[in-house]
Structure formats: C-alpha cells, structure tokens
C-alpha cells in the first residue's frame, strides 16, 4: 500500500507540474497576442532589460521563488501574477484529474476549457478585448466535447449558442456599449460547449458577479454610471462554476419553482 501511495503522490506532482507548465504558456499568449506578437516563435525576455531568459529562468513557480521575484540579469522586481497563474494551472489540472478520475478524455476536455477561460479572463482584464482565437478555440473544443460529453445533446448545444448571445447582441444594438463584441462571440461559442441549461446558469452567475463588482466600483467612486469595466472575467467565472455545478443549480432552482 505504501508503494501505491507513493505512486499516487508522484502522479499528482507530475499532473500539477504539467498544469503549471501549460498555464505558464498561457501567460505568454495573454502577453503576446494583444501586442500582435507570435506566441510560438521567439524567445522569452525580461520586459525590463530585454535580456533573453535561460531555461533556469523559466521553470514554472520555482524560478520565481529561487530568484526571489527578481530578474537574474537586471535585478528588477517581477510581478507575481504569472506565478499565481501557474499555481492556478497546477491546481486546475489536479482538480480535473480528481473530478473525472479514469475518464481521462473528459478531464482533458474540461481542463482545456479552463485554459481558455483563464486566457480570456486575464486578456480582457489587461486590454478590455477578447481575441477571436479564444472563441474559435472553444467552438473547436465543442466539437470534441460532443463526443466526450454526449449527455449534452446537439439540440441543447445549438440552443445554447443562441439563448444568450442573441439577447446580448440585441441589447447592444439598442444600448451601444452594453456588451463588447468579444463577450457576445464568446457566449455564442461557449453555448455550444455548455448547452443551454449550463449557459443560462453561467450567464446568471456572471451577471451577479459583474453586477456586484459594478456596485463596488460605484460605491468606491472608482467609476461613474457611464464607466466600463471588463465583463469577460465574470462570464468566465460564471461558466467555470456553471460547468461543474450548473446542473445542480439548475435542478435546485427549477425544483424550487415547482
């Protein structure tokens, strides 16, 4: 039994490290895509001194700890956000592995969805824009999920594509600036992945989270009534919770109504 426990611990460490490596690459995407830089070519550099980073500077999490949050070459402090995203990636990988167990394809599909949600969240926070590649990737992932998660039928997926994105589009036409084009396209694609039930639950959660944040901004006088803030992160938070807890929330609410 001891040997089995050791194997499980080692497997957990490997899964965590793999997740942190993947999310480290997502940091590259978040940084480079808005700047119209290739995220598959070129070398990583220190943004302060421009020095090319070596392999020892790019080990997820550990490089930041060992270098004490500073560039090896110019000693400029490095923000910790990227490292926390890498930690998040490791935790996400472990969670998906534990949640789906031997259903490896389901775990991988869910993890890839979390990857996109992470990119959208931080890209939207940084630039107030969502790259088209994000919703396109989700749309492609939806094709894969049709076979991996057959419980979400084709009809539910097609309805999910329209049930939120169309009202958002109409509202934006009536009230310019109500939603960004990236938000609308994201919900169109995610509706195909989630199906209409989870899409509705996710949107409600996103609106609640975003509304609470908007109230906070107004109360703190950081925004006025005409101010804008990135709504994508709240939609992503809603869809993340909706994916794992949405059916329970949907059944609970509809049961309460009955």
């Amino acid at each position: 039994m001891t040997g089995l426990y050791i194997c499980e611990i080692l497997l957990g460490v490997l899964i965590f490290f793999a997740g942190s490596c993947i999310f480290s690459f997502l940091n590259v995407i978040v940084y480079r895509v808005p700047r119209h830089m290739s995220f598959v070519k070129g070398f990583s550099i220190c943004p302060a001194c421009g020095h090319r980073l070596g392999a020892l500077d790019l080990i997820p999490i550990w490089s930041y700890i060992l270098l004490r949050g500073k560039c090896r070459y110019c000693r400029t402090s490095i923000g910790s956000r990227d490292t926390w995203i890498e930690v998040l990636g490791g935790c996400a990988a472990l969670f998906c592995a534990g949640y789906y167990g031997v259903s490896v394809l389901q775990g991988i599909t869910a993890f890839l969805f979390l990857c996109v949600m992470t990119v959208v969240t931080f890209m939207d926070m940084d630039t107030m824009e969502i790259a088209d590649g994000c919703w396109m990737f989700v749309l492609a992932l939806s094709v894969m999920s049709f076979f991996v998660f057959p419980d979400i039928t084709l009809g539910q997926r097609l309805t999910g594509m329209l049930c939120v994105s169309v009202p958002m589009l109409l509202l934006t036409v009536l009230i310019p600036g109500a939603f960004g084009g990236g938000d609308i396209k994201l919900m169109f694609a995610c509706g195909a992945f989630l199906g209409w039930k989870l899409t509705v639950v996710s949107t409600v959660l996103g609106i609640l989270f975003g509304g609470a944040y908007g109230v906070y901004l107004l109360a703190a006088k950081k925004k006025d009534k005409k101010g804008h803030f990135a709504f994508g992160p709240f939609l992503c938070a809603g869809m993340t919770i909706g994916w794992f807890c949405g059916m329970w929330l949907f059944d609970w609410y509809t049961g309460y109504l009955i």
Side-chain angles (χ1 to χ4, degrees):
M1 294 295 291
T2 302
L4 180 61
Y5 288 143
I6 293 176
C7 289
E8 289 179 347
I9 292 173
L10 290 176
L11 180 60
V13 171
L14 288 175
I15 291 173
F16 181 89
F17 183 69
S20 64
C21 287
I22 293 171
F23 270 52
S24 180
F25 177 68
L26 298 186
N27 281 327
V28 176
I29 295 176
V30 170
Y31 178 82
R32 294 191 182 185
V33 169
R35 293 170 173 81
H36 305 288
M37 300 166 60
S38 172
F39 57 86
V40 294
K41 296 181 180 180
F43 300 99
S44 295
I45 62 173
C46 170
C49 66
H51 196 286
R52 176 178 168 179
L53 302 180
L56 295 178
D57 304 314
L58 299 173
I59 302 173
I61 303 172
W62 290 108
S63 289
Y64 183 85
I65 295 174
L66 294 175
L67 295 173
R68 299 181 180 179
K70 295 182 179 180
C71 172
R72 181 194 303 273
Y73 310 99
C74 66
R75 308 309 298 170
T76 300
S77 296
I78 303 171
S80 63
R81 191 184 83 169
D82 287 357
T83 302
W84 285 113
I85 292 175
E86 292 166 355
V87 173
L88 176 64
C91 293
L94 279 177
F95 177 80
C96 288
Y99 189 87
Y100 291 102
V102 296
S103 302
V104 178
L105 282 178
Q106 290 187 344
I108 292 174
T109 304
F111 178 74
L112 290 175
F113 183 67
L114 295 182
C115 287
V116 185
M117 295 297 97
T118 301
V119 171
V120 170
T121 294
F122 290 99
M123 189 178 293
D124 201 19
M125 285 172 56
D126 291 344
T127 66
M128 294 282 286
E129 294 182 357
I130 301 173
D132 285 339
C134 295
W135 69 266
M136 291 178 181
F137 185 87
V138 174
L139 209 55
L141 192 62
S142 300
V143 176
M144 175 181 173
S145 71
F146 178 73
F147 301 98
V148 179
F149 294 100
D151 291 344
I152 305 177
T153 65
L154 179 60
Q156 291 174 337
R157 294 176 187 275
L158 293 175
T159 305
M161 295 172 73
L162 303 175
C163 66
V164 170
S165 61
V166 171
M168 288 175 69
L169 177 61
L170 293 175
L171 186 60
T172 303
V173 171
L174 294 174
I175 308 174
F179 294 100
D183 296 330
I184 298 171
K185 288 182 281 189
L186 178 69
M187 293 311 300
F188 175 81
C190 289
F193 184 85
L194 298 169
W196 74 267
K197 293 181 181 179
L198 298 185
T199 300
V200 170
V201 172
S202 300
T203 304
V204 171
L205 291 173
I207 291 173
L208 289 175
F209 296 152
Y213 182 67
V215 170
Y216 159 74
L217 291 178
L218 288 174
K221 297 182 179 180
K222 294 184 177 181
K223 294 281 186 179
D224 57 26
K225 293 182 179 179
K226 295 182 179 180
H228 292 81
F229 60 87
F231 191 56
F234 302 103
L235 288 175
C236 290
M239 286 187 285
T240 299
I241 296 173
W243 177 251
F244 293 102
C245 307
M247 283 309 303
W248 178 83
L249 291 170
F250 185 88
D251 292 340
W252 169 79
Y253 184 72
T254 54
Y256 178 78
L257 291 177
I258 295 174

